[in-house]
Amino acid sequence: MPSTRQKALEKAKLEKKEPRRAGVMALFYPNSTGKTNVLLILRKTYKGVHSNQIAFPGGKEEKEDATILQTALRETYEEVGVPKNKIEVVKHLTEVYIPPSNFIVQPFVGFYEKDQHFTIQESEVEQIVEVSLTDFMDDAKIVEEDMRTSYAQKISVPAFKLNGYVVWGATAMMLSEIKELLKQVL
């Protein structure tokens, strides 16, 4: 089957599921010593499939969002307090479909010249996780982990081990794409 036909069939299957849309922001910024960090968040514990997971700031599209980029910028402001006019959006990444929650997520990469502390949204964010670019780019931080998911009691997944947290699933896929892009320019 031609690859274009395969892609069309996969898109048609996905559209039948009517996934909700979300936008997230992979935010790179200098820390207090001028070294580059990437911002992740630890989600609150709640009844849901993404409870207590590491993620990028972001969330579901709302009616008032003109574009999915506006969703990512709005959610980044709500969750970590970074105003949208302070983020230089440099790239969108590959969309990721998340079957357990039926979301299709559009990730973006942005730069932030950090001029204030992050302010977490207490109702959704448990903690800010600031990862140094050096740690993120270290191939030794890529691991295989046995995880419990909404669809399997024990499944071995590729993951990142960053700041003592296991980052897996859609966020790990997004991080992998970012890492490959950075390897091309570094």
Side-chain angles (χ1 to χ4, degrees):
M1 182 183 307
S3 63
T4 54
R5 176 76 173 134
Q6 182 67 31
K7 288 178 185 175
L9 288 173
E10 288 171 7
K11 184 178 180 190
K13 280 188 212 173
L14 183 60
E15 286 171 352
K16 283 183 182 178
K17 295 178 183 181
E18 298 181 13
R20 297 173 289 172
R21 292 189 48 81
V24 300
M25 184 63 63
L27 199 59
F28 287 83
Y29 61 93
N31 67 14
S32 60
T33 64
K35 303 281 187 193
T36 302
N37 279 2
V38 62
L39 179 70
L40 297 168
I41 60 170
L42 174 62
R43 296 186 182 280
K44 288 279 193 183
T45 300
Y46 61 94
K47 285 191 175 194
V49 295
H50 302 299
S51 173
N52 201 40
Q53 290 181 357
I54 298 291
F56 289 113
K60 70 181 177 180
E61 182 179 45
E62 300 291 348
K63 290 177 186 169
E64 68 268 10
D65 297 331
T67 65
I68 200 67
L69 173 58
Q70 291 301 312
T71 301
L73 292 167
R74 175 185 53 76
E75 285 281 344
T76 299
Y77 176 70
E78 289 175 6
E79 291 186 345
V80 296
V82 177
K84 63 183 175 182
N85 65 336
K86 299 279 188 168
I87 299 173
E88 178 187 350
V89 179
V90 293
K91 183 154 185 62
H92 70 274
L93 301 172
T94 305
E95 287 184 327
V96 177
Y97 177 62
I98 306 172
S101 57
N102 196 33
F103 267 99
I104 190 151
V105 179
Q106 175 64 69
F108 296 90
V109 175
F111 297 146
Y112 171 48
E113 195 60 45
K114 188 176 177 195
D115 60 357
Q116 63 187 28
H117 292 287
F118 295 115
T119 305
I120 66 169
Q121 183 179 27
E122 302 266 338
S123 61
E124 293 188 26
V125 178
E126 182 66 34
Q127 183 178 332
I128 296 288
V129 181
E130 299 179 90
V131 178
S132 75
L133 182 61
T134 303
D135 279 350
F136 169 57
M137 294 302 291
D138 182 355
D139 287 339
K141 302 291 182 179
I142 298 172
V143 297
E144 286 278 327
E145 288 283 321
D146 290 335
M147 303 296 293
R148 290 180 48 193
T149 69
S150 61
Y151 56 88
Q153 287 300 311
K154 184 178 177 186
I155 185 169
S156 184
V157 298
F160 287 82
K161 190 84 166 199
L162 300 169
N163 294 24
Y165 294 100
V166 176
V167 184
W168 63 287
T171 303
M173 287 183 239
M174 294 172 206
L175 283 171
S176 291
E177 183 175 357
I178 293 167
K179 186 171 182 171
E180 286 306 310
L181 290 169
L182 288 173
K183 282 181 177 181
Q184 292 173 20
V185 297
L186 293 178

